[in-house]
Amino acid sequence: MALSVTDIEIRLLVQAVYLRYGHDFRDYAQASLKRRMSQAQQRMGVASISALQERVLHDPQEFAQLLQYLTVPVSEMFRDPGYFLALRRHVIPVLRTYASLKIWVAGCSTGEEPYSLAILLHEEGLLDRTILYATDINHASLEKARQGIFALDAIQGFTRNYQASGGQRSFSDYYTAAYGGAVLDKRLRDAVTFADHSLATDAVFSETQLVSCRNVLIYFNRNLQDRALGLFHESLMHRGFLGLGSRETLDFSAYADRFEPVSRPDRLYRRLPEAG
């Protein structure tokens, strides 16, 4: 079937972005890209995707603006509370057996997920022995994440999620109202190392006991999903854990037989030993 003009324009734009800036969106799901490009085109006030391409190629600031639409920097703390409950029940007892820990949050957006994990680890007495990496391709999101400042009107929802996830204290213990928002405790901000990393182009990030990559793979096509899962598999230590988003699964992937479910409803898996 012949490609539409819009499909051709999108294909040319993502290729141009890759050549100009090194960000690779060529294996992102086409329907998702089309929706986001349309939104960017309208919000940035251009008549066509081709016109958008001309702007982002010649102006890095325009590309930075486009990147906000392509990476969807939206999250919340303790999103899908059942996932964090499953971590407490199934993963934390195993993590306690290690003298030191490395955890990787891939596609961390503006920091809600790694900070949620930092709180959980603190409550379980493991934060002081943990190196917590959080990565994303969106520099603006990473900078916001490092600040650890969230809108006050989001705190009520964060608090509900925290309580439903098995939180052991008052969520207000973890932030202070300042700068017109809620500033997370310094010990939490210091516990997370934020870094630029692309699941599309970069190599394994670090050897880890847990990789959490939630609500990212749904935006990739099958080839890129398998590439990301390969990175996670290679990053994880023997019998390490992998957490995915509520609409994601290892089923039908190239790595389906490399993991076993720990809590299938919560998309929590464990790396199987290599075949001898």
Side-chain angles (χ1 to χ4, degrees):
M1 188 173 74
L3 293 173
S4 69
V5 171
T6 299
D7 289 336
I8 294 170
E9 287 182 309
I10 291 173
R11 187 170 293 187
L12 291 171
L13 174 54
V14 297
Q15 178 68 17
V17 163
Y18 175 65
L19 293 172
R20 174 73 167 87
Y21 298 103
H23 287 281
D24 194 352
F25 294 96
R26 294 174 297 177
D27 282 325
Y28 276 54
Q30 187 67 19
S32 175
L33 267 181
K34 198 169 186 175
R35 184 171 59 253
R36 296 186 203 182
M37 289 288 192
S38 177
Q39 186 180 40
Q41 179 188 336
Q42 294 173 19
R43 298 285 181 84
M44 295 173 70
V46 292
S48 66
I49 301 296
S50 295
L52 182 61
Q53 175 178 321
E54 182 178 4
R55 281 173 57 169
V56 301
L57 278 180
H58 291 91
D59 188 342
Q61 293 301 316
E62 294 287 338
F63 170 66
Q65 186 176 348
L66 174 63
L67 196 59
Q68 302 308 303
Y69 296 99
L70 297 184
T71 55
V72 194
V74 177
S75 187
E76 59 188 46
M77 293 190 71
F78 294 95
R79 182 178 183 177
D80 301 321
Y83 174 76
F84 292 93
L85 268 176
L87 289 176
R88 288 186 191 269
R89 292 171 178 168
H90 303 295
V91 178
I92 291 298
V94 178
L95 297 186
R96 289 190 195 284
T97 66
Y98 292 95
S100 62
L101 299 167
K102 288 183 180 179
I103 294 174
W104 176 19
V105 179
C108 69
S109 186
T110 47
E112 290 86 342
E113 175 105 355
Y115 286 131
S116 299
L117 282 171
I119 290 173
L120 186 155
L121 292 164
H122 169 71
E123 293 184 351
E124 299 294 341
L126 296 177
L127 186 58
D128 288 343
R129 62 172 113 156
T130 301
I131 297 175
L132 185 52
Y133 297 108
T135 63
D136 204 277
I137 63 170
N138 188 325
H139 292 177
S141 292
L142 288 170
E143 184 54 39
K144 186 176 188 302
R146 291 186 185 99
Q147 295 171 3
I149 303 174
F150 299 98
L152 285 172
D153 59 9
I155 294 299
Q156 187 174 358
F158 292 176
T159 300
R160 285 195 300 268
N161 288 349
Y162 167 73
Q163 292 168 342
S165 72
Q168 300 170 359
R169 302 173 59 174
S170 169
F171 188 67
S172 61
D173 291 344
Y174 296 110
Y175 68 89
T176 303
Y179 306 107
V183 184
L184 292 186
D185 191 287
K186 187 176 186 297
R187 62 188 164 175
L188 299 176
R189 288 181 278 125
D190 289 345
V192 184
T193 298
F194 292 97
D196 186 340
H197 181 275
S198 170
L199 295 174
T201 57
D202 291 335
V204 171
F205 190 75
S206 180
E207 188 176 56
T208 58
Q209 284 89 6
L210 167 65
V211 173
S212 189
C213 180
R214 304 174 65 229
N215 307 299
V216 175
L217 299 185
I218 54 174
Y219 299 113
F220 296 171
N221 68 16
R222 179 59 60 82
N223 288 338
L224 188 51
Q225 287 176 2
D226 284 342
R227 185 187 196 279
L229 292 171
L231 292 180
F232 303 153
H233 183 266
E234 190 176 345
S235 169
L236 285 167
M237 297 178 65
H238 175 75
R239 300 290 285 155
F241 295 92
L242 171 65
L244 301 178
S246 60
R247 291 186 289 159
E248 298 165 336
T249 180
L250 290 178
D251 296 345
F252 314 112
S253 76
Y255 289 83
D257 61 350
R258 310 284 187 93
F259 291 87
E260 63 180 354
V262 173
S263 178
R264 192 179 292 276
D266 301 301
R267 303 301 194 265
L268 191 59
Y269 304 88
R270 195 170 190 184
R271 187 184 192 268
L272 286 168
E274 296 293 337

